[in-house]
Amino acid sequence: MSPLTPLDGRRIRVAVIGTGAIARDSHLPALARLAEEGETEVVAAVDIDAMSVESFCAAGGIPHAYTDLDRMLREQRPDLVTICTPPTLHREQSIAALRAGAWVWCEKPPVPTLADYAAVEAEEGVESGPYASIVFQHRFGSGTRHVSRLLAEGALGRPLVVHCQTTWYRDTAYYSVPWRGRWATEGGGPAMGHGIHQMDLMLDLLGPWSEVRAMAARLVHDVETEDVSTALVRFENGAMATIVNSVLSPDEVSRIRIDCERATVELTHLYGHSNANWHITPARGVPREEAGAWLDFGPDVPSSHREQLRELVASMRAGERPRSSGADGRTSLELVAALYKSAFTDVTVKAGEIGPGDPFYTAMHGDAPGWAPAATAPVAGEGVPA
């Protein structure tokens, strides 16, 4: 399958699916900025709530509001759709867009399971798109780009010890939203819906992992999923990492620390980072001039939806698979699945072992006792005697 029309020399037609907070606060401003640069135009938005989508379109100057996704795809024929709906809808909506010839940019988590991810991949174009990519905006920006280059070139020496921390706070009101904290609709707890951003950035910086050993618990919230998890991860390059994902932490922070042979790299932020959030501490004996060059991050380009979208648009114009799609996009989802499998079965999980036939391939809870959702009892009035 290929895009419906050539993209050279014209604006990319974009449709926004879901008009909630993430669409209003992150996607629409990014699209507006690229529109100013002559790259995109938002032609439509879709939401099952007619009032919400009409308000969204009025505020954003979007010409067409829809409550029916298929009708929008048929009538507007967008080049790109951005998906800002709850995770349980991502598979169906991504597949519909791909079949209509549109590229996809989908909020995390991309889909609830690895099986769902494979189903979306199966609908992608073979050579030049359309492709489905995931919103992992923390990979993008000048700080990540600079540190990635230093690590790839070996300037800092071998990575040895890694800490990956997403310790946030969510109260009971947060989980009053019906789809949160449930396997079927959110896909997982903080490992899936919160910590996946830092874990994805860690994987992007360090490369493939080889094995994971994990624990998870429900310590506060009355939910199906976990509210805290910890994991030990070994990378193919030999580095060893600790991961903590929590929604129980009043002092909130997102943090990655990488101790290499010649320096420690640390990123400390919350929901996004700039050059100032990165710190490099040289080891004793590193020449001052060399260490000084490491600290030159260049012009500050903060991580953002805008920066990832800009690179995605360039990939679309080139007919190339974008980052955070295909195998590159699957890495974080596979690590989350392995974390859950290890935590719920008390085993060490190897990279690549969760595939068709494994219960954790089709459900992040893997039908594990104490974690799989309880069977729903029949409700009186639905063909059942009172």
Side-chain angles (χ1 to χ4, degrees):
M1 190 181 297
S2 60
L4 295 175
T5 55
L7 298 176
D8 291 340
R10 68 170 179 83
R11 291 175 182 264
I12 288 175
R13 293 166 54 83
V14 185
V16 179
I17 316 303
T19 57
I22 194 67
R24 293 193 308 267
D25 299 341
S26 297
H27 286 247
L28 197 56
L31 288 163
R33 180 60 179 272
L34 266 70
E36 293 173 0
E37 298 172 7
E39 291 285 359
T40 63
E41 60 175 330
V42 183
V43 298
V46 182
D47 199 290
I48 59 173
D49 185 329
M51 292 183 62
S52 176
V53 70
E54 288 167 6
S55 172
F56 182 82
C57 287
I62 301 168
H64 302 287
Y66 289 85
T67 57
D68 186 301
L69 173 59
D70 291 333
R71 180 182 173 192
M72 185 280 293
L73 292 170
R74 188 170 58 250
E75 293 181 356
Q76 297 302 322
R77 297 166 67 86
D79 305 304
L80 170 67
V81 300
T82 74
I83 297 179
C84 308
T85 53
T88 189
L89 301 174
H90 290 176
R91 170 178 171 163
E92 177 184 347
Q93 293 171 342
S94 295
I95 288 175
L98 290 166
R99 287 179 176 174
W103 293 52
V104 173
W105 192 37
C106 183
E107 273 294 335
K108 60 79 189 166
V111 284
T113 72
L114 288 168
D116 292 326
Y117 193 90
V120 173
E121 276 191 293
E123 300 293 337
E124 292 182 323
V126 176
E127 294 183 357
S128 59
Y131 299 115
S133 57
I134 310 163
V135 177
F136 280 138
Q137 74 273 18
H138 291 189
R139 290 192 187 192
F140 299 84
S142 53
T144 301
R145 184 165 55 246
H146 178 67
V147 171
S148 294
R149 180 175 56 79
L150 292 176
L151 290 168
E153 293 175 351
L156 308 181
R158 291 186 300 126
L160 303 172
V161 182
V162 184
H163 302 272
C164 181
Q165 176 183 352
T166 305
T167 44
W168 294 356
Y169 185 80
R170 298 293 183 267
D171 60 14
T172 302
Y174 176 84
Y175 284 103
S176 67
V177 177
W179 60 266
R180 288 179 176 151
R182 298 174 58 197
W183 294 110
T185 48
E186 192 168 18
M192 183 71 148
H194 305 85
I196 195 171
H197 269 307
Q198 297 314 300
M199 291 190 290
D200 178 77
L201 177 54
M202 175 185 68
L203 293 172
D204 191 53
L205 293 171
L206 293 171
W209 59 277
S210 59
E211 61 180 347
V212 59
R213 182 82 187 196
M215 294 188 295
R218 302 182 194 98
L219 297 183
V220 172
H221 296 294
D222 182 17
V223 292
E224 289 181 350
T225 65
E226 87 287 4
D227 57 17
V228 63
S229 67
T230 63
L232 302 176
V233 178
R234 191 190 308 274
F235 284 83
E236 286 187 3
N237 61 20
M240 297 185 66
T242 61
I243 299 174
V244 180
N245 299 307
S246 165
V247 289
L248 310 178
S249 309
D251 184 7
E252 297 184 287
V253 68
S254 304
R255 179 172 174 260
I256 292 178
R257 172 180 167 133
I258 306 172
D259 294 325
C260 300
E261 291 175 308
R262 307 186 71 222
T264 292
V265 178
E266 186 164 12
L267 169 65
T268 305
H269 66 113
L270 189 54
Y271 299 136
H273 52 83
S274 64
N275 287 354
N277 297 111
W278 292 86
H279 302 278
I280 301 178
T281 304
R284 287 187 289 271
V286 173
R288 180 177 301 178
E289 182 177 342
E290 183 179 9
W294 296 346
L295 303 178
D296 182 5
F297 283 70
D300 190 12
V301 181
S303 66
S304 66
H305 282 68
R306 181 181 66 246
E307 289 310 305
Q308 182 173 3
L309 180 62
R310 182 174 284 117
E311 187 172 308
L312 171 58
V313 166
S315 296
M316 291 179 67
R317 295 198 183 281
E320 297 174 348
R321 177 177 287 282
R323 295 170 65 197
S324 297
S325 71
D328 183 47
R330 190 193 308 114
T331 55
S332 301
L333 196 64
E334 184 182 6
L335 178 58
V336 172
L339 184 156
Y340 283 142
K341 181 176 181 178
S342 176
F344 300 164
T345 63
D346 196 27
V347 297
T348 297
V349 178
K350 305 289 186 181
E353 78 171 54
I354 301 177
D358 189 305
F360 287 88
Y361 185 72
T362 52
M364 286 290 174
H365 55 71
D367 293 323
W371 289 101
T376 302
V379 178
E382 298 182 354
V384 179

